[in-house]
């Protein structure tokens, strides 16, 4: 009888301590959001594909198998992103106001608290200040996995990405974290971009558009003028760019070959948007957001992003919407 009582007590203690050593758990509470759904993915392979987190009554809970440290990226309904750093046997608490997601508090582990502190530090900072704070963070915490996400989100995905600075910061992280898969992945991605600078060709690929038709790099390389770009129905800037591209394509008289890569998590949303805007060129959507193998292969890091080619060679990449339309206007 005593043995049974002890086992029951021991089990209750384990349950009260939270998740076990093979799982990671997120508990959250948000005001101003009663029901909803978040997407979650892992840029370093901690999750396979994209998962969802349900919100009921402003609360949400998510548990996943976790044998190694990894990075999770939660995509909120307004498509802002929040990194959460997972460790086996740990849990974190997320709380805040859904109308002020930049002020979210994530507590429970040192890395998540460091990320929260950094986000608060840059909440009202200018792009040059954010870049400076990113360098300072990595100089102060080269051993932290938070650094890789900061390079990705605030250096590589900025409106004017600084690839040399990104590689320098990633080198600092690699020296301290040589086995960090996310750091190594970002280094490879920046090298891909460097290999695809002006004068070179894009990487070879074959993909399928939302209608099941094959799209290949050889078609783009054989066109006098070609453009491959990213967009998403949740990004006004990118959908505005797409509408402006439609007007230009109508005037190009067949000189311009365009392929769009949609970073929506749902093909239905993608199809609805292109139907409303009468887009008639190939649109690829594999529902994997930034984890799309094609996006990674081409080194496309943001929404919107683009690669402009002439006679099979890259002439520009990462142009702003205005610069892209002006450049195309001269070429066609």
């Amino acid at each position: 009888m005593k043995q049974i009582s002890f086992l029951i007590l021991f089990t209750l203690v384990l349950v009260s301590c939270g998740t076990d050593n093979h799982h990671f758990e997120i508990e959250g509470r948000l005001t101003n959001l009663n029901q909803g759904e978040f997407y979650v993915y892992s840029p370093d392979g901690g999750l396979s594909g994209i998962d969802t987190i349900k919100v009921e009554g402003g609360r949400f809970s998510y548990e996943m198998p976790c044998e190694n440290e990894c990075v999770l990226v939660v995509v909120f309904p307004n498509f802002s992103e929040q990194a959460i750093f997972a460790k086996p046997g740990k849990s974190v608490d997320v709380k805040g106001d859904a109308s002020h997601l930049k002020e979210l508090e994530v507590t429970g582990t040192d890395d998540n608290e460091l990320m929260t502190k950094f986000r608060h530090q840059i909440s009202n900072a200018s792009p040059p200040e954010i870049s400076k704070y990113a360098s300072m963070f990595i100089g102060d915490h080269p051993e932290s996995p938070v650094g890789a996400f900061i390079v990705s989100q605030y250096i590589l995905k900025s409106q004017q990405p600084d690839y040399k600075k990104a590689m320098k910061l990633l080198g600092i992280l690699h020296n301290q974290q040589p086995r960090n898969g996310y750091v190594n992945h970002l280094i490879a991605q920046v090298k891909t971009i460097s290999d695809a600078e002006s004068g070179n060709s894009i990487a070879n690929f074959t993909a399928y558009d939302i209608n099941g038709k094959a799209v290949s790099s050889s078609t783009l390389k054989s066109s006098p003028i070609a453009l491959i770009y990213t967009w998403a129905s949740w990004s006004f800037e990118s959908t505005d760019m797409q509408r402006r591209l439609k007007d230009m394509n109508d005037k190009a008289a067949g000189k311009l070959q365009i392929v769009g890569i949609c970073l929506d998590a749902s093909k239905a949303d993608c199809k609805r948007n292109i139907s409303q805007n009468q887009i008639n060129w190939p649109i690829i959507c594999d529902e994997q957001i930034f984890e799309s193998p094609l996006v990674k292969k081409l080194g496309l890091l943001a929404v919107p992003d683009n690669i402009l080619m002439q006679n099979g060679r890259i002439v520009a990449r990462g142009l702003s919407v205005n610069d892209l339309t002006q450049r195309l206007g001269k070429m066609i």
Side-chain angles (χ1 to χ4, degrees):
M1 187 68 179
K2 288 183 178 179
Q3 287 181 332
I4 294 173
S5 299
F6 174 77
L7 287 173
I8 292 171
L9 178 62
F10 183 67
T11 301
L12 289 172
V13 170
L14 284 178
V15 170
S16 68
C17 290
T19 190
D20 61 50
N21 289 330
H22 303 283
H23 289 81
F24 173 75
E25 187 177 38
I26 302 170
E27 293 284 347
R29 302 179 304 282
L30 290 177
T31 58
N32 292 315
L33 179 66
N34 187 47
Q35 290 185 320
E37 185 176 86
F38 307 151
Y39 297 115
V40 58
Y41 69 93
S42 174
D44 60 359
L47 280 177
S48 177
I50 295 175
D51 209 346
T52 55
I53 300 175
K54 301 284 186 180
V55 182
E56 295 287 346
R59 292 179 174 271
F60 57 93
S61 179
Y62 180 75
E63 186 177 80
M64 58 172 276
C66 184
E67 299 293 342
N68 300 290
E69 295 184 19
C70 66
V71 182
L72 304 177
V73 178
V74 178
V75 186
F76 291 104
N78 67 350
F79 287 90
S80 63
E81 294 185 337
Q82 168 69 50
I84 293 180
F85 300 89
K87 285 187 177 182
K90 299 294 184 180
S91 62
V92 297
D93 185 65
V94 180
K95 61 182 179 181
D97 185 336
S99 61
H100 297 89
L101 290 172
K102 288 183 179 181
E103 299 173 8
L104 278 181
E105 295 278 346
V106 184
T107 57
T109 69
D110 291 343
D111 290 329
N112 285 291
E113 288 165 13
L114 275 174
M115 185 72 237
T116 297
K117 184 177 179 181
F118 180 81
R119 285 190 301 101
H120 289 178
Q121 183 183 38
I122 66 168
S123 60
N124 296 309
S126 65
E129 289 173 331
I130 292 173
S131 180
K132 181 185 74 173
Y133 289 140
S135 297
M136 291 171 59
F137 180 94
I138 290 168
D140 292 339
H141 306 284
E143 76 295 338
S144 173
V146 175
F149 181 79
I150 286 175
V151 172
S152 174
Q153 193 74 5
Y154 302 106
I155 303 295
L156 292 175
K157 290 183 182 178
S158 67
Q159 289 188 343
Q160 294 182 321
D162 186 336
Y163 301 120
K164 289 183 178 179
K165 181 170 186 175
M167 189 61 85
K168 179 181 178 180
L169 296 176
L170 289 169
I172 294 170
L173 295 172
H174 180 72
N175 286 338
Q176 293 292 318
Q177 308 172 53
R179 296 184 181 179
N180 185 318
Y182 191 23
V183 172
N184 293 330
H185 160 72
L186 289 174
I187 289 173
Q189 201 166 30
V190 175
K191 286 182 177 177
T192 296
I193 295 170
S194 298
D195 291 341
E197 292 292 346
S198 294
N200 295 330
S201 298
I202 60 170
N204 294 325
F205 71 87
T206 299
Y208 293 89
D209 70 11
I210 58 171
N211 297 312
K213 295 182 179 180
V215 180
S216 72
S217 53
S218 59
T219 303
L220 294 169
K221 291 177 182 179
S222 63
S223 177
I225 307 167
L227 174 71
I228 188 164
Y229 69 98
T230 60
W231 69 281
S233 61
W234 42 265
S235 165
F236 173 78
E237 185 181 6
S238 71
T239 54
D240 176 58
M241 176 188 69
Q242 191 161 241
R243 286 188 287 269
R244 291 167 70 175
L245 286 174
K246 184 179 184 303
D247 292 338
M248 302 202 75
N249 190 49
D250 292 341
K251 300 173 184 176
K255 295 180 182 179
L256 178 61
Q257 180 76 29
I258 304 177
V259 172
I261 302 177
C262 178
L263 298 187
D264 282 348
S266 164
K267 283 186 180 179
D269 292 340
C270 172
K271 288 182 177 181
R272 189 180 305 112
N273 187 283
I274 63 173
S275 175
Q276 290 172 349
N277 291 287
Q278 299 180 326
I279 303 300
N280 56 12
W281 54 75
I283 300 291
I284 299 165
C285 180
D286 60 14
E287 302 181 315
Q288 295 190 56
I289 314 180
F290 285 109
E291 289 305 286
S292 165
L294 181 57
V295 167
K296 290 181 177 181
K297 189 170 191 176
L298 295 174
L300 295 164
L301 300 170
V303 177
D305 202 352
N306 50 74
I307 301 173
L308 180 62
M309 291 163 281
Q310 188 169 30
N311 299 320
R313 297 289 176 181
I314 296 170
V315 294
R317 63 180 300 146
L319 296 172
S320 68
V321 175
N322 288 334
D323 288 344
L324 176 61
T325 52
Q326 288 175 11
R327 188 83 173 255
L328 281 172
K330 294 176 181 178
M331 293 171 71
I332 63 176

